[in-house]
Amino acid sequence: MRAGRNEEAQAAFDEAAKADPDNPVVISLSFDRALERRDEAAAAELATRATAKNLDRMEGRLFRARVALQKGQIAEALLLLQQAVELDPVNPLAHRLLGQAYVLNRDVAKGIKSLERAVSIKPDDSTALLLYRNALAGSGQPGEALNAARGALRFGINDPNFLDVGLDLE
């Protein structure tokens, strides 16, 4: 939503949701918002709807894995995400989430590998780049983390959090 127009955007979204609650965009955005609010019941219900419609084209694995991650069910998330990357080996979100789950499971080497794959598929994904850089820095590879921060600049990543940490590494 654009700054200064949040109410207008929210009203438009609410209208769209009332008109077509099963619209894939409505389900997906509602799911993201439920996760942001940490509303696990709403997120689980929306994940079920997304799974029924196969919105992620992976039988709902990405939605269910995100719910599992939110609940701290890392083993379940890992299983779903490993299956997801087998189904679609070039899905950057699946690799990013898998990398995140590995890091949360303290398997940082595998996390770095998955995050590196996510970045190689979608080099302008600022979230994947941040996770990748943080995993590298946290694993005692500050030089590689700095290279990741610098590399993001090639793609026009202007996320202040990313740039600040890049400066901290220097």
Side-chain angles (χ1 to χ4, degrees):
M1 289 187 222
R2 294 183 161 228
R5 299 185 68 188
N6 287 344
E7 294 88 17
E8 186 179 321
Q10 183 63 50
F13 178 79
D14 291 344
E15 188 176 318
K18 284 180 188 172
D20 188 3
D22 289 328
N23 180 292
V25 173
V26 169
I27 293 171
S28 186
L29 286 174
S30 297
F31 177 78
D32 290 343
R33 289 177 177 178
L35 288 178
E36 288 170 11
R37 292 188 318 268
R38 303 196 61 76
D39 184 344
E40 292 177 1
E45 187 270 329
L46 289 159
T48 298
R49 289 173 55 200
T51 298
K53 293 183 162 298
N54 196 22
L55 294 185
D56 60 4
R57 296 184 184 101
M58 294 186 194
E59 300 170 351
R61 284 178 176 86
L62 295 181
F63 288 93
R64 290 181 286 144
R66 290 175 65 195
V67 170
L69 285 171
Q70 181 115 33
K71 290 180 173 182
Q73 299 169 341
I74 308 304
E76 180 180 342
L78 281 168
L79 178 63
L80 289 165
L81 293 165
Q82 289 164 345
Q83 293 170 352
V85 297
E86 287 176 18
L87 286 170
D88 185 356
V90 293
N91 185 302
L93 179 58
H95 284 283
R96 176 179 11 122
L97 292 171
L98 181 59
Q100 185 178 10
Y102 277 132
V103 170
L104 289 170
N105 201 47
R106 301 195 193 300
D107 193 344
V108 179
K110 285 184 180 177
I112 288 171
K113 184 177 178 184
S114 292
L115 291 166
E116 184 175 40
R117 179 71 175 132
V119 170
S120 73
I121 296 167
K122 190 170 187 316
D124 63 345
D125 181 346
S126 62
T127 302
L129 285 161
L130 284 165
L131 291 168
Y132 179 53
R133 191 259 346 262
N134 289 345
L136 288 167
S139 70
Q141 300 178 60
E144 290 298 319
L146 182 56
N147 287 338
R150 286 181 178 149
L153 296 175
R154 295 180 308 176
F155 300 103
I157 302 300
N158 292 318
D159 184 323
N161 294 321
F162 195 90
L163 297 175
D164 286 347
V165 176
L167 293 173
D168 290 345
L169 290 169
E170 290 191 72

